[in-house]
Coordinates of all heavy atoms in Angstrom, one line a residue:
Chain A
L271 N 7.7 28.5 15.1 CA 8.0 29.7 14.3 C 7.7 31.0 15.1 O 6.8 31.0 16.0 CB 7.2 29.8 13.0 CG 7.4 28.7 12.0 CD1 6.4 28.9 10.9 CD2 8.8 28.7 11.4
Q272 N 8.4 32.0 14.8 CA 8.1 33.4 15.3 C 7.0 33.9 14.4 O 7.1 33.7 13.1 CB 9.3 34.3 15.4 CG 9.1 35.6 16.1 CD 8.9 35.4 17.6 OE1 9.5 34.6 18.3 NE2 7.9 36.1 18.1
E273 N 6.1 34.6 14.9 CA 5.0 35.2 14.1 C 5.7 36.0 13.0 O 6.6 36.8 13.2 CB 4.1 36.1 15.0 CG 2.8 36.5 14.3 CD 1.9 37.1 15.3 OE1 2.3 37.8 16.3 OE2 0.6 37.0 15.1
G274 N 5.2 35.9 11.8 CA 5.7 36.6 10.6 C 6.7 35.8 9.8 O 7.0 36.2 8.6
A275 N 7.2 34.7 10.3 CA 8.1 33.9 9.6 C 7.4 33.0 8.5 O 6.2 32.8 8.6 CB 8.9 33.0 10.6
N276 N 8.2 32.6 7.6 CA 7.8 31.7 6.5 C 8.2 30.3 6.8 O 9.2 30.0 7.5 CB 8.3 32.1 5.2 CG 7.9 33.5 4.8 OD1 6.9 34.0 5.2 ND2 8.8 34.2 4.1
S277 N 7.5 29.3 6.3 CA 7.9 27.9 6.5 C 7.4 27.0 5.3 O 6.5 27.4 4.5 CB 7.3 27.3 7.8 OG 5.9 27.3 7.7
T278 N 8.1 25.9 5.2 CA 7.8 24.9 4.2 C 7.6 23.5 4.8 O 8.5 23.1 5.5 CB 8.9 24.8 3.1 OG1 9.1 26.1 2.5 CG2 8.5 23.8 2.0
L279 N 6.5 22.9 4.6 CA 6.3 21.6 5.1 C 6.3 20.6 3.9 O 5.8 20.9 2.8 CB 4.9 21.5 5.7 CG 4.7 22.1 7.2 CD1 5.1 23.5 7.2 CD2 3.3 21.9 7.6
R280 N 6.9 19.4 4.1 CA 7.0 18.5 3.0 C 6.3 17.2 3.3 O 6.1 16.7 4.4 CB 8.5 18.1 2.8 CG 8.8 17.3 1.6 CD 10.3 17.0 1.5 NE 10.5 16.1 0.3 CZ 10.9 16.6 -0.9 NH1 11.2 17.9 -1.1 NH2 11.1 15.8 -1.9
C281 N 5.8 16.6 2.2 CA 5.1 15.3 2.2 C 5.6 14.5 1.1 O 5.6 14.8 -0.1 CB 3.6 15.6 2.0 SG 2.5 14.1 1.9
N282 N 6.1 13.3 1.5 CA 6.6 12.3 0.5 C 5.6 11.2 0.5 O 5.2 10.7 1.5 CB 8.0 11.8 0.8 CG 9.0 12.8 0.7 OD1 9.0 13.8 -0.1 ND2 10.1 12.7 1.5
F283 N 5.3 10.6 -0.7 CA 4.3 9.5 -0.8 C 4.8 8.5 -1.7 O 5.5 8.8 -2.7 CB 2.9 10.0 -1.2 CG 2.9 10.9 -2.3 CD1 2.7 10.4 -3.6 CD2 3.0 12.3 -2.2 CE1 2.7 11.3 -4.7 CE2 2.9 13.2 -3.2 CZ 2.8 12.7 -4.5
S284 N 4.5 7.2 -1.4 CA 5.0 6.1 -2.2 C 3.9 5.7 -3.2 O 2.7 6.1 -3.0 CB 5.3 4.9 -1.3 OG 4.2 4.5 -0.6
D285 N 4.2 4.9 -4.2 CA 3.3 4.4 -5.1 C 2.5 5.5 -5.9 O 2.7 6.6 -5.7 CB 2.4 3.3 -4.5 CG 3.1 2.1 -4.0 OD1 4.1 1.8 -4.6 OD2 2.7 1.5 -3.1
S286 N 1.6 5.1 -6.6 CA 0.8 6.0 -7.4 C -0.4 6.5 -6.7 O -1.1 5.7 -6.1 CB 0.4 5.4 -8.8 OG 1.5 5.0 -9.5
V287 N -0.6 7.7 -6.7 CA -1.8 8.3 -6.1 C -2.5 9.2 -7.1 O -1.9 9.8 -8.0 CB -1.4 9.2 -4.8 CG1 -0.7 8.3 -3.8 CG2 -0.5 10.3 -5.2
N288 N -3.8 9.2 -6.9 CA -4.5 10.1 -7.8 C -5.2 11.3 -7.1 O -6.0 12.0 -7.6 CB -5.6 9.3 -8.6 CG -6.6 8.7 -7.6 OD1 -6.5 8.7 -6.4 ND2 -7.6 8.1 -8.2
N289 N -4.8 11.4 -5.8 CA -5.3 12.5 -5.0 C -4.3 12.8 -3.9 O -3.8 12.0 -3.3 CB -6.6 12.1 -4.3 CG -7.8 11.8 -5.2 OD1 -8.4 12.7 -5.7 ND2 -8.0 10.6 -5.4
L290 N -4.1 14.1 -3.7 CA -3.2 14.5 -2.6 C -3.9 15.7 -2.0 O -4.3 16.6 -2.7 CB -1.8 14.9 -3.1 CG -0.7 15.1 -2.2 CD1 -0.8 16.3 -1.3 CD2 -0.4 13.8 -1.3
Q291 N -4.1 15.7 -0.7 CA -4.7 16.8 0.0 C -3.9 17.2 1.2 O -3.1 16.4 1.8 CB -6.1 16.3 0.6 CG -7.1 15.9 -0.5 CD -8.4 15.6 0.2 OE1 -9.2 16.5 0.4 NE2 -8.6 14.4 0.6
W292 N -4.0 18.5 1.6 CA -3.5 19.0 2.8 C -4.6 19.5 3.7 O -5.6 20.1 3.2 CB -2.6 20.2 2.5 CG -1.3 19.9 1.9 CD1 -0.9 19.9 0.6 CD2 -0.1 19.5 2.6 NE1 0.4 19.5 0.5 CE2 1.0 19.3 1.7 CE3 0.2 19.4 4.0 CZ2 2.3 19.0 2.1 CZ3 1.5 19.1 4.4 CH2 2.5 18.8 3.4
F293 N -4.5 19.1 5.0 CA -5.4 19.5 6.0 C -4.8 20.2 7.1 O -3.6 20.0 7.4 CB -6.1 18.2 6.6 CG -7.0 17.5 5.6 CD1 -6.4 16.5 4.9 CD2 -8.3 17.7 5.5 CE1 -7.2 15.7 4.0 CE2 -9.1 17.0 4.7 CZ -8.6 16.0 3.9
H294 N -5.5 21.0 7.8 CA -5.1 21.7 9.1 C -6.0 21.2 10.2 O -7.3 21.3 10.0 CB -5.1 23.2 9.0 CG -4.8 23.9 10.2 ND1 -5.6 24.9 10.8 CD2 -3.8 23.7 11.1 CE1 -5.0 25.3 11.9 NE2 -3.9 24.6 12.1
Q295 N -5.5 20.7 11.3 CA -6.3 20.3 12.4 C -6.0 21.3 13.5 O -4.9 21.5 14.0 CB -5.9 18.9 12.9 CG -6.9 18.4 14.0 CD -6.7 16.9 14.2 OE1 -5.6 16.4 14.3 NE2 -7.9 16.2 14.4
N296 N -7.1 22.0 13.9 CA -6.9 23.0 15.0 C -6.9 22.4 16.3 O -7.1 21.2 16.5 CB -8.0 24.1 14.9 CG -9.4 23.5 15.2 OD1 -9.6 22.5 15.8 ND2 -10.5 24.2 14.7
P297 N -6.5 23.2 17.4 CA -6.4 22.6 18.7 C -7.6 21.9 19.2 O -7.5 21.1 20.2 CB -6.0 23.8 19.6 CG -5.3 24.7 18.6 CD -6.1 24.6 17.3
W298 N -8.8 22.2 18.7 CA -10.0 21.5 19.1 C -10.3 20.3 18.3 O -11.4 19.7 18.5 CB -11.2 22.5 19.0 CG -10.9 23.7 19.9 CD1 -11.3 23.9 21.2 CD2 -10.2 24.9 19.5 NE1 -10.9 25.1 21.6 CE2 -10.3 25.7 20.7 CE3 -9.6 25.4 18.3 CZ2 -9.6 27.0 20.7 CZ3 -9.0 26.6 18.4 CH2 -9.0 27.4 19.5
G299 N -9.4 19.9 17.4 CA -9.6 18.6 16.7 C -10.3 18.7 15.3 O -10.3 17.7 14.6
Q300 N -10.7 19.9 14.9 CA -11.4 20.0 13.7 C -10.4 20.0 12.5 O -9.4 20.7 12.5 CB -12.2 21.3 13.6 CG -12.9 21.6 12.3 CD -14.1 20.7 12.1 OE1 -15.0 20.6 13.0 NE2 -14.2 20.0 11.0
L301 N -10.7 19.1 11.6 CA -9.8 19.0 10.4 C -10.4 19.9 9.2 O -11.6 19.7 8.9 CB -9.8 17.6 9.9 CG -8.7 16.7 10.5 CD1 -9.0 15.2 10.2 CD2 -7.3 17.1 9.9
I302 N -9.6 20.8 8.7 CA -10.1 21.6 7.6 C -9.3 21.3 6.4 O -8.0 21.3 6.4 CB -9.9 23.1 8.0 CG1 -10.6 23.5 9.3 CG2 -10.3 24.0 6.9 CD1 -12.1 23.3 9.3
N303 N -10.0 21.2 5.3 CA -9.3 20.9 4.0 C -8.7 22.2 3.5 O -9.4 23.1 3.2 CB -10.4 20.3 3.1 CG -9.8 19.7 1.8 OD1 -8.8 20.1 1.3 ND2 -10.4 18.7 1.3
L304 N -7.4 22.2 3.3 CA -6.7 23.3 2.8 C -6.6 23.3 1.3 O -6.9 24.3 0.6 CB -5.3 23.4 3.4 CG -5.2 23.6 4.9 CD1 -3.7 23.6 5.3 CD2 -5.9 24.9 5.3
F305 N -6.1 22.2 0.7 CA -5.9 22.1 -0.7 C -6.2 20.6 -1.1 O -5.8 19.7 -0.5 CB -4.4 22.4 -1.1 CG -4.0 23.8 -0.9 CD1 -3.2 24.2 0.2 CD2 -4.4 24.8 -1.8 CE1 -2.9 25.5 0.4 CE2 -4.0 26.1 -1.6 CZ -3.2 26.4 -0.5
Y306 N -6.8 20.5 -2.3 CA -6.8 19.3 -3.0 C -5.9 19.5 -4.2 O -6.1 20.4 -5.1 CB -8.3 19.0 -3.5 CG -8.3 18.0 -4.6 CD1 -8.0 16.6 -4.4 CD2 -8.7 18.3 -5.9 CE1 -8.0 15.7 -5.4 CE2 -8.7 17.4 -6.9 CZ -8.4 16.1 -6.7 OH -8.4 15.1 -7.7
I307 N -4.7 18.8 -4.2 CA -3.7 19.2 -5.2 C -3.0 17.9 -5.6 O -1.8 17.7 -5.2 CB -2.7 20.2 -4.6 CG1 -1.8 20.7 -5.6 CG2 -2.1 19.8 -3.3 CD1 -1.1 22.0 -5.3
P308 N -3.6 17.1 -6.5 CA -2.9 16.0 -7.1 C -1.7 16.3 -7.9 O -0.8 15.4 -8.0 CB -4.0 15.3 -7.9 CG -4.9 16.4 -8.2 CD -4.9 17.3 -7.1
S309 N -1.6 17.5 -8.4 CA -0.4 17.9 -9.2 C -0.5 19.5 -9.3 O -1.6 20.1 -9.1 CB -0.3 17.3 -10.6 OG -1.4 17.7 -11.3
G310 N 0.6 20.1 -9.6 CA 0.6 21.5 -9.9 C 0.7 22.3 -8.6 O 1.1 21.9 -7.6
T311 N 0.4 23.6 -8.8 CA 0.5 24.6 -7.7 C -0.8 25.3 -7.5 O -1.5 25.6 -8.5 CB 1.6 25.6 -8.0 OG1 2.8 24.9 -8.1 CG2 1.7 26.6 -6.9
K312 N -1.2 25.5 -6.3 CA -2.4 26.3 -5.9 C -2.0 27.3 -4.8 O -1.1 27.0 -4.0 CB -3.5 25.4 -5.4 CG -4.1 24.5 -6.5 CD -5.3 23.8 -6.0 CE -6.0 23.0 -7.1 NZ -7.2 22.3 -6.6
Q313 N -2.7 28.4 -4.8 CA -2.5 29.4 -3.7 C -3.8 29.8 -3.1 O -4.8 29.9 -3.9 CB -1.7 30.6 -4.2 CG -1.4 31.6 -3.2 CD -0.3 32.5 -3.5 OE1 0.2 32.5 -4.6 NE2 0.1 33.4 -2.6
N314 N -3.8 30.0 -1.8 CA -5.0 30.5 -1.1 C -4.5 31.4 0.0 O -4.1 31.0 1.1 CB -5.8 29.4 -0.6 CG -7.1 29.9 0.0 OD1 -7.4 31.1 0.0 ND2 -7.9 29.0 0.6
G315 N -4.5 32.7 -0.3 CA -4.0 33.7 0.6 C -2.6 33.5 1.0 O -1.7 33.5 0.1
R316 N -2.2 33.3 2.2 CA -0.9 33.1 2.7 C -0.4 31.7 2.5 O 0.8 31.4 2.7 CB -0.7 33.5 4.1 CG -1.0 35.0 4.4 CD -0.8 35.3 5.9 NE -1.8 34.6 6.8 CZ -1.5 33.5 7.5 NH1 -0.3 33.0 7.5 NH2 -2.4 33.0 8.2
L317 N -1.2 30.8 2.1 CA -0.9 29.4 1.9 C -0.8 29.1 0.5 O -1.6 29.6 -0.4 CB -1.9 28.5 2.6 CG -2.2 28.6 4.1 CD1 -3.2 27.6 4.5 CD2 -0.9 28.5 4.9
S318 N 0.2 28.2 0.1 CA 0.2 27.7 -1.2 C 0.8 26.3 -1.1 O 1.4 25.9 -0.1 CB 1.1 28.6 -2.1 OG 2.5 28.6 -1.7
A319 N 0.5 25.5 -2.2 CA 0.9 24.1 -2.2 C 1.4 23.7 -3.6 O 0.8 24.2 -4.6 CB -0.2 23.2 -1.7
T320 N 2.4 22.9 -3.6 CA 2.9 22.3 -4.9 C 3.0 20.8 -4.8 O 3.6 20.4 -3.8 CB 4.2 23.0 -5.2 OG1 4.1 24.4 -5.5 CG2 4.8 22.3 -6.5
T321 N 2.5 20.1 -5.8 CA 2.7 18.7 -5.8 C 3.4 18.3 -7.1 O 3.0 18.7 -8.2 CB 1.4 17.9 -5.7 OG1 0.8 18.2 -4.5 CG2 1.6 16.4 -5.9
V322 N 4.5 17.6 -7.0 CA 5.2 17.0 -8.1 C 5.0 15.5 -8.1 O 5.7 14.7 -7.5 CB 6.7 17.3 -8.1 CG1 7.4 16.8 -9.4 CG2 6.9 18.8 -7.9
A323 N 3.9 15.1 -8.8 CA 3.5 13.7 -8.7 C 4.5 12.7 -9.2 O 4.7 11.6 -8.7 CB 2.2 13.5 -9.5
T324 N 5.3 13.1 -10.3 CA 6.3 12.2 -10.9 C 7.4 12.0 -9.9 O 8.1 10.9 -10.0 CB 6.8 12.8 -12.2 OG1 7.3 14.2 -11.9 CG2 5.8 12.9 -13.2
E325 N 7.6 12.9 -9.0 CA 8.7 12.7 -8.0 C 8.1 12.4 -6.6 O 8.9 12.3 -5.6 CB 9.6 14.0 -7.9 CG 10.3 14.2 -9.2 CD 11.3 15.4 -9.1 OE1 11.7 15.7 -8.0 OE2 11.6 15.9 -10.2
R326 N 6.8 12.2 -6.5 CA 6.1 11.8 -5.3 C 6.4 12.6 -4.1 O 6.7 12.1 -3.0 CB 6.5 10.3 -5.0 CG 6.1 9.4 -6.2 CD 6.4 7.9 -5.9 NE 6.0 7.1 -7.0 CZ 6.4 5.8 -7.1 NH1 7.2 5.3 -6.2 NH2 6.0 5.1 -8.1
Y327 N 6.2 13.9 -4.3 CA 6.3 14.8 -3.1 C 5.3 16.0 -3.3 O 5.0 16.4 -4.4 CB 7.7 15.2 -2.8 CG 8.3 16.3 -3.7 CD1 8.1 17.7 -3.5 CD2 9.0 15.9 -4.8 CE1 8.6 18.6 -4.3 CE2 9.5 16.9 -5.7 CZ 9.3 18.2 -5.4 OH 9.9 19.2 -6.3
S328 N 5.0 16.6 -2.1 CA 4.2 17.8 -2.1 C 4.7 18.7 -1.0 O 5.2 18.2 0.0 CB 2.7 17.4 -1.8 OG 1.9 18.6 -1.9
L329 N 4.6 20.0 -1.3 CA 5.1 21.0 -0.3 C 4.0 22.0 0.0 O 3.2 22.4 -0.9 CB 6.3 21.8 -1.0 CG 7.5 21.0 -1.4 CD1 8.5 21.9 -2.1 CD2 8.1 20.3 -0.2
L330 N 3.9 22.3 1.3 CA 2.9 23.3 1.7 C 3.7 24.5 2.2 O 4.6 24.3 3.1 CB 2.0 22.8 2.8 CG 1.0 23.8 3.4 CD1 -0.1 24.1 2.4 CD2 0.4 23.2 4.7
Y331 N 3.5 25.7 1.7 CA 4.2 26.9 2.1 C 3.2 27.8 2.9 O 2.1 28.0 2.5 CB 4.6 27.7 0.8 CG 5.4 27.0 -0.2 CD1 4.8 26.4 -1.3 CD2 6.8 26.8 0.0 CE1 5.6 25.7 -2.2 CE2 7.6 26.2 -1.0 CZ 7.0 25.6 -2.1 OH 7.7 24.9 -3.0
I332 N 3.8 28.2 4.0 CA 3.0 29.2 4.9 C 3.9 30.4 4.9 O 5.0 30.4 5.4 CB 2.8 28.6 6.3 CG1 2.1 27.3 6.2 CG2 2.0 29.6 7.1 CD1 1.9 26.6 7.6
S333 N 3.3 31.5 4.5 CA 4.1 32.8 4.5 C 3.5 33.7 5.6 O 2.3 33.6 5.9 CB 4.0 33.5 3.2 OG 2.7 33.8 2.8

Side-chain angles (χ1 to χ4, degrees):
Chain A
L271 298 176
Q272 190 67 44
E273 196 171 28
N276 303 327
S277 63
T278 301
L279 282 56
R280 186 178 179 101
C281 173
N282 293 329
F283 48 90
S284 64
D285 294 331
S286 296
V287 299
N288 60 356
N289 294 282
L290 194 291
Q291 297 185 89
W292 284 96
F293 294 89
H294 175 230
Q295 188 168 41
N296 65 24
W298 297 271
Q300 178 71 53
L301 272 165
I302 303 297
N303 195 325
L304 297 175
F305 293 103
Y306 164 67
I307 187 164
S309 64
T311 298
K312 290 186 177 180
Q313 181 159 6
N314 185 1
R316 297 181 295 103
L317 301 181
S318 63
T320 296
T321 297
V322 183
T324 53
E325 297 186 22
R326 298 181 182 166
Y327 73 88
S328 183
L329 302 174
L330 178 69
Y331 305 97
I332 304 174
S333 63

